[in-house]
Amino acid sequence: MKKVALITGASSGIGRELARIHASKGGDLILVARRRERLEELKNELQQQYSVSVIIMAKDLTDPAVPGEIFTETIRQHIQVEYLINNAGFGGHGMFHERSLEKHLEMIQVNITALTALTHYFIPHMIANGLGRIMNLSSTAAFLSGPLQAVYFASKSYVKLFGEALHNELRNENISVTTLCPGATSTEFASTGDLEQTALFKGNARSASSVAAYGYHSMMKGKRVAINEPLMGFALNHLLHLFPRKWVIRASRMAMEPSRKEIKVGRQVA
Ligand SMILES: NC(=O)c1ccc[n+]([C@@H]2O[C@H](COP(=O)([O-])OP(=O)(O)OC[C@H]3O[C@@H](n4cnc5c(N)ncnc54)[C@H](OP(=O)(O)O)[C@@H]3O)[C@@H](O)[C@H]2O)c1
C-alpha cells in the first residue's frame, strides 16, 4: 500500500470527505468506524473511482482495547501509516448531571482516550519511517467552556492543547501535527448529539466537504491549528480574551440553547 491514511470516523461527515480527498490524490486508506455497511460502500466507491486500496476496520472506539488492535493489525499487515487522522468523535446536548455518566465516559473514551492511544501507537512507527502527518479533529469549542455540552467542549480543549504540544515536540522529526477546529458543520453530528434545535445548528453550518478540504490542505502544509472560518479564527485567537470570561461563557451557552425560532414555534404549539 502507498501513502496510507488511517481515518477514524470515516463512515460519515468530515471523515468520509477526508477519505474521498485522500483517495483523489492517489493515497490508500484504512477506514475505521462502527458501521461496516457504510465503510463497505465508501470502499467500493473509492476503489472504483480512484483505483486505490482500501482496508476497512469496523470497530467501536468506546472499547479501550480497539486502538491497540488497530495498530497491531497494521503492523501484522506490514502497512506503513503515513497519515493518521483522528476524526471520530461525538457531542451530546443537556445538563451535565442529567445526561448519563456512561455516555459522558464514552465521549471521553472516543474523543480523548482513543485519539491519544492511536497517536501514541503511531508516532514511534512514523519516526522509524522518517515521516508522518497527524491531524486531530478538535472544534472551535476548544476555545470555550460549553454549558449544556460541558464534556464535549472540554474534550475538544484537550485535543487542541495536546496537538499543539505534539506539534512542538515533533518539530525535528519530519512529523507534523495539525489540529483542525471547525465551526458548525452539516453532518450527522447534530442529530447524534441532540443538537439540531440549538441556535448554533439553526444558523449557517458549513459543508463537510469544504471543512475536509480546508483541513486536508492545512495538514499537508503542516499547520499547527487550522480554523476553517477566518473571522471566527481571528475572534477566537485575538478578541476572546478581551471580554470578561463570564460573558464569554454566557454567549457560549446561548449558542447551545434552543434557537429563537424554535422557542417561538414551541410557544405557538403550547
Ligand atoms: N459537525 C460539526 O459541527 C463539528 C464541528 C466541530 C468539530 N467536529 C468534529 O468533527 C469530527 C467528525 O464529526 P462529524 O461532524 O463528521 O460527525 P458525524 O457525521 O457524526 O461523524 C462522526 C464519525 O465518528 C464515528 N464514531 C462515532 N462514535 C464512534 C465510535 N464509538 N467508534 C468508532 N467510530 C465512531 C462515526 O461512525 P459510526 O457511527 O459508524 O461509528 C462517524 O463516522 C468529530 O470529532 C466532531 O467532534 C464536528
Side-chain angles (χ1 to χ4, degrees):
M1 291 178 88
K2 57 189 185 311
K3 297 231 162 262
V4 180
L6 190 156
I7 305 180
T8 67
S11 62
S12 79
I14 300 167
R16 182 166 56 191
E17 296 304 324
L18 284 165
R20 287 177 171 144
I21 294 169
H22 189 69
S24 75
K25 314 264 179 215
D28 293 333
L29 285 150
I30 301 172
L31 307 176
V32 181
R34 288 166 301 185
R35 286 171 289 179
R36 179 179 290 280
E37 334 70 61
R38 288 282 197 98
L39 296 178
E40 293 280 7
E41 265 172 42
L42 185 60
K43 175 181 171 171
N44 292 338
E45 173 195 321
L46 300 180
Q47 287 188 335
Q48 276 169 22
Q49 207 169 336
Y50 302 111
S51 306
V52 291
S53 298
V54 180
I55 292 176
I56 61 172
M57 296 191 187
K59 301 267 187 193
D60 185 345
L61 290 166
T62 60
D63 177 348
V66 159
E69 289 171 12
I70 293 171
F71 179 69
T72 306
E73 189 53 26
T74 59
I75 296 301
R76 196 187 65 75
Q77 296 196 37
H78 305 288
I79 300 168
Q80 180 183 333
V81 171
E82 195 173 323
Y83 306 82
L84 170 64
I85 303 183
N86 285 304
N87 163 78
F90 66 95
H93 187 261
M95 296 280 279
F96 169 73
H97 68 281
E98 288 172 1
R99 286 178 51 80
S100 84
L101 178 60
E102 194 188 359
K103 260 293 175 218
H104 289 314
L105 298 182
E106 283 183 356
M107 192 186 292
I108 291 170
Q109 187 69 36
V110 176
N111 294 10
I112 296 180
T113 311
L115 172 149
T116 306
L118 283 170
T119 307
H120 192 264
Y121 283 121
F122 280 101
I123 288 176
H125 170 85
M126 289 175 172
I127 291 176
N129 294 325
L131 82 170
R133 295 199 182 278
I134 298 171
M135 182 159 73
N136 293 330
L137 259 290
S138 177
S139 165
T140 47
F143 294 79
L144 303 159
S145 298
L148 303 180
Q149 268 225 94
V151 175
Y152 178 74
F153 276 55
S155 75
K156 293 301 176 181
S157 293
Y158 171 90
V159 173
K160 177 170 174 287
L161 294 173
F162 172 68
E164 286 182 306
L166 295 193
H167 181 273
N168 174 280
E169 282 187 15
L170 298 170
R171 68 188 188 280
N172 297 324
E173 298 287 355
N174 202 23
I175 298 172
S176 61
V177 181
T178 297
T179 304
L180 177 60
C181 297
T185 310
S186 287
T187 64
E188 293 169 19
F189 177 84
S191 58
T192 308
D194 296 324
L195 290 153
E196 284 164 310
Q197 310 309 328
T198 60
L200 182 67
F201 280 93
K202 286 286 169 190
N204 278 339
R206 303 290 163 110
S207 68
S209 55
S210 70
V211 172
Y214 182 81
Y216 193 88
H217 180 69
S218 303
M219 174 180 74
M220 297 310 283
K221 280 174 70 181
K223 240 181 145 174
R224 179 172 44 84
V225 176
I227 303 174
N228 62 301
E229 299 178 33
L231 271 180
M232 174 69 88
F234 181 78
L236 292 172
N237 279 315
H238 303 290
L239 302 182
L240 202 61
H241 67 279
L242 300 176
F243 294 93
R245 192 69 182 164
K246 196 165 68 176
W247 295 6
V248 173
I249 296 168
R250 275 190 203 149
S252 170
R253 177 168 182 151
M254 278 161 69
M256 287 299 126
E257 300 274 14
S259 74
R260 287 183 181 283
K261 215 160 89 193
E262 292 306 313
I263 293 169
K264 235 167 140 183
V265 171
R267 280 199 194 122
Q268 278 163 5
V269 170

